[in-house]
Amino acid sequence: MSEIFKRDPVDVVVVGGGLSGLGAALTLVRARRSVVVIDAGNPRNAPAAHSHGYLTRDGAPPLELLRLGREEIRGYGGEIVSGAVESVARAGERLFRVTTAEGDRYAGRRLLITTGLVDVFPDIPGLHERWGNDVVHCPFCFGWELRDQALGVLATGPQATMQALMWRQWSSDVTLFLHTAPEPTDEQRQQLAARGVRVVGGEVTRVEVEDNKITGVRLSHGEVVPRQAIIVGPQFQARHRLLDGLGVEVVDHPMGIGRQVKAEPSGFTGVPGVWVAGNVADVTAGVMQSAASGVTAAATLNADLTQEDVALAVESMRTAASAGL
């Protein structure tokens, strides 16, 4: 018995409706490819009030960028579906089956996964609640808005010294909290001192918040160091679960800051028919890089589909000729 799908098979099913997924979908629908985007509706940057560094849209709310993108795709005939994808699998020689939590099934000739990543950072009271507001990680995303404020860099790994030195570009008042990280080397302490970065030892036990804003960092011995914003270097873990059964490879990021799906610059995973884009393939990608990676993946997806279209057409023509039609 043949499978029952929610709609006719499409050229590409895109799982994830962030900027990379929408960037890919827009490129594909303009190439007259049939596309379904399935989006769970929980973008990583939803807590942030504004998105920065996106040319011509600097300062736009992240959810507004997504709304505009969805409108553009629908305008070309693309379909956007709300739902959480539970599984993906092959469904015959030339199709993938994508199943949502509601039990709906979609079929596509190609699969593009743009499910993003999860930020993993210390379990310190007050930290998670302020994430994306005055607890941040990216200086290029938030540095201008936090310029000249009293900043605290929470050490979470070997990159902490470099983080503190980089954030010194945006403020002359930067404190590095060692927390549970190793002591800086003598050379690192000299660099920090030369740039006027204070180093504070002791475990951080709480981020103090009053009137919906950070006021300081509490240490294990009770001292509270006044701060206005906290910089943390999380581990970035790509959301790769859906791909695990398809044979893709997950690798450590070269900087040791997380794990991501191994893929070519085009987003091709090496598994026939399977592409990735955005943070699932590059945990350091910002909003513009993510959108651009979706466009790149779409172009190579289209080329791959074109080759298959031509091969099928030639096969059909030869079959017809041999039958004397």
Side-chain angles (χ1 to χ4, degrees), residues 39-225:
D39 181 37
N42 55 350
R44 175 194 179 205
N45 58 0
H50 304 283
S51 179
H52 293 287
Y54 200 101
L55 193 62
T56 77
R57 293 295 183 270
D58 185 66
L63 297 183
E64 177 66 6
L65 286 176
L66 300 182
R67 184 189 69 79
L68 293 170
R70 289 192 292 266
E71 280 188 3
E72 291 175 350
I73 291 160
R74 289 187 176 117
Y76 286 100
E79 185 177 353
I80 312 289
V81 175
S82 296
V85 172
E86 281 295 312
S87 66
V88 298
R90 294 196 180 275
E93 184 181 355
R94 294 193 177 97
L95 284 180
F96 290 93
R97 177 199 314 115
V98 179
T99 306
T100 69
E102 295 75 25
D104 294 328
R105 292 181 174 184
Y106 296 85
R109 296 168 63 192
R110 299 293 184 273
L111 186 64
L112 174 60
I113 302 295
T114 64
T115 44
L117 60 79
V118 175
D119 300 285
V120 181
F121 43 89
D123 186 16
I124 297 173
L127 199 68
H128 290 246
E129 297 86 341
R130 304 303 303 169
W131 179 244
N133 293 288
D134 39 18
V135 173
V136 302
H137 75 287
C138 175
F140 304 108
C141 303
F142 298 96
W144 179 262
E145 284 63 41
L146 298 178
R147 67 192 184 279
D148 299 326
Q149 295 189 29
L151 307 179
V153 175
L154 179 65
T156 57
Q159 303 295 327
T161 294
M162 181 54 67
Q163 271 188 302
L165 293 171
M166 183 175 292
W167 277 89
R168 178 61 180 79
Q169 296 172 218
W170 282 269
S171 175
S172 60
D173 186 356
V174 177
T175 296
L176 173 60
F177 294 93
L178 295 182
H179 188 45
T180 57
E183 289 280 334
T185 64
D186 290 342
E187 181 181 5
Q188 288 174 330
R189 280 195 177 275
Q190 187 177 46
Q191 292 170 344
L192 292 164
R195 290 291 282 157
V197 176
R198 180 188 176 196
V199 178
V200 174
E203 185 174 350
V204 174
T205 58
R206 176 178 293 277
V207 174
E208 299 290 341
V209 179
E210 294 181 14
D211 297 326
N212 201 35
K213 61 183 180 181
I214 288 176
T215 58
V217 171
R218 182 176 295 276
L219 302 172
S220 56
H221 57 265
E223 179 188 2
V224 175
V225 181

Side-chain angles (χ1 to χ4, degrees), residues 11 33 94 109-110 268 272-273 275 298-316:
D11 290 320
R33 294 293 182 186
R94 294 193 177 97
R109 296 168 63 192
R110 299 293 184 273
F268 179 53
W275 268 255
T300 54
L301 273 162
N302 182 69
D304 191 55
L305 286 164
T306 298
Q307 289 181 327
E308 183 174 272
D309 291 340
V310 171
L312 291 172
V314 169
E315 180 183 346
S316 178

Side-chain angles (χ1 to χ4, degrees), residues 270-289:
V271 175
V274 182
W275 268 255
V276 290
N279 286 135
V280 73
D282 179 3
V283 295
T284 65
V287 287
M288 285 204 79
Q289 297 100 313

